[in-house]
Amino acid sequence: MINGQNDLFLISLIKQGDKRALDSLFKKYYNSLCRFASYLTSRNDLAEEIVADVFFRIWDKRENLTIEKNLRSYLFTATRHTAINYMKQEKLVMEELSEDIIEETPGPEDVFLYHELESRITNLINYLPQKRKAIFQLNRFEGFTYNEIAEILSLSSKTVENQMGKAIKQLKLLQKTYQI
């Protein structure tokens, strides 16, 4: 909860016009928000523009900004709404969520094993229906709770819980069936 309190403190500083607080918030959330926007749009360039727009709006509307609980959920929800608006403007059709890329600098053997495992996991996850895939990735790769995912995707937390259970069962079945 200390992290959440720190976020709310940064928001209070931003409301007072502190650009350094906005910069701290930007640095803290930029990468994960870009990955999320990338999931929604399948375009990295557009994802960066969307996230920049979210932070621009926070700064532009700082005096009237009211965030009373979870800033992280607020930012992801704002990113989702902004992405939807961008897609409407450009008449984009959302086909599939792009995979999350984890950057590391391991040795050559580790790189090979990592890519092999990543390929197998990606193959399994790609069999999931789109909404279930998004829920699974937000929970397992981004670390969101069921309630946070429900808020971001405008679903009930029970639906998120059910979809996660189905995703895990489906992935286990696929793994056994195809021995991936």
Side-chain angles (χ1 to χ4, degrees):
M1 195 62 192
I2 291 173
N3 199 18
Q5 290 173 342
N6 186 36
D7 287 348
L8 294 177
F9 178 69
L10 287 174
I11 288 296
S12 70
L13 291 175
I14 290 168
K15 289 174 83 168
Q16 296 170 17
D18 188 333
K19 292 179 182 178
R20 291 176 301 173
L22 180 71
D23 188 48
S24 294
L25 206 61
F26 182 83
K27 287 177 183 175
K28 181 176 181 181
Y29 287 103
Y30 179 78
N31 288 332
S32 58
L33 291 174
C34 279
R35 280 193 303 269
F36 180 63
S38 225
Y39 288 143
L40 298 173
T41 63
S42 299
R43 288 184 45 201
N44 290 334
D45 59 327
L46 185 58
E48 291 175 359
E49 188 175 333
I50 288 167
V51 173
D53 192 35
V54 168
F55 282 98
F56 174 78
R57 287 187 183 162
I58 286 173
W59 182 254
D60 193 44
K61 305 205 182 281
R62 67 186 175 274
E63 293 168 357
N64 299 322
L65 195 61
T66 55
I67 301 170
E68 297 174 359
K69 50 181 188 171
N70 190 333
L71 175 64
R72 185 175 187 219
S73 292
Y74 174 88
L75 289 172
F76 275 84
T77 301
T79 301
R80 177 177 169 258
H81 290 293
T82 305
I84 290 168
N85 290 337
Y86 269 78
M87 288 186 293
K88 284 179 184 175
Q89 290 171 3
E90 295 187 15
K91 296 179 182 173
L92 294 174
V93 177
M94 193 162 119
E95 294 173 4
E96 251 186 87
L97 300 175
S98 63
E99 74 179 77
D100 187 20
I101 298 172
I102 301 170
E103 296 181 22
E104 292 184 24
T105 54
E109 185 178 319
D110 292 332
V111 170
F112 174 77
L113 292 174
Y114 172 78
H115 287 299
E116 181 68 25
L117 180 60
E118 181 182 41
S119 173
R120 289 179 180 184
I121 291 170
T122 300
N123 287 338
L124 287 173
I125 292 172
N126 283 334
Y127 281 102
L128 296 175
Q130 185 176 1
K131 184 71 83 173
R132 192 174 296 162
K133 178 180 173 182
I135 290 169
F136 183 83
Q137 288 177 322
L138 285 170
N139 180 258
R140 299 300 176 159
F141 299 136
E142 294 295 330
F144 283 99
T145 66
Y146 291 170
N147 289 335
E148 290 171 332
I149 295 168
E151 188 176 325
I152 291 167
L153 298 178
S154 300
L155 300 170
S156 73
S157 58
K158 190 65 177 170
T159 299
V160 172
E161 182 180 341
N162 288 338
Q163 288 298 312
M164 276 300 294
K166 289 178 181 180
I168 291 168
K169 285 179 186 175
Q170 187 176 357
L171 289 171
K172 284 180 181 179
L173 179 63
L174 286 167
Q175 192 271 331
K176 285 180 186 177
T177 304
Y178 298 106
Q179 297 180 351
I180 297 177

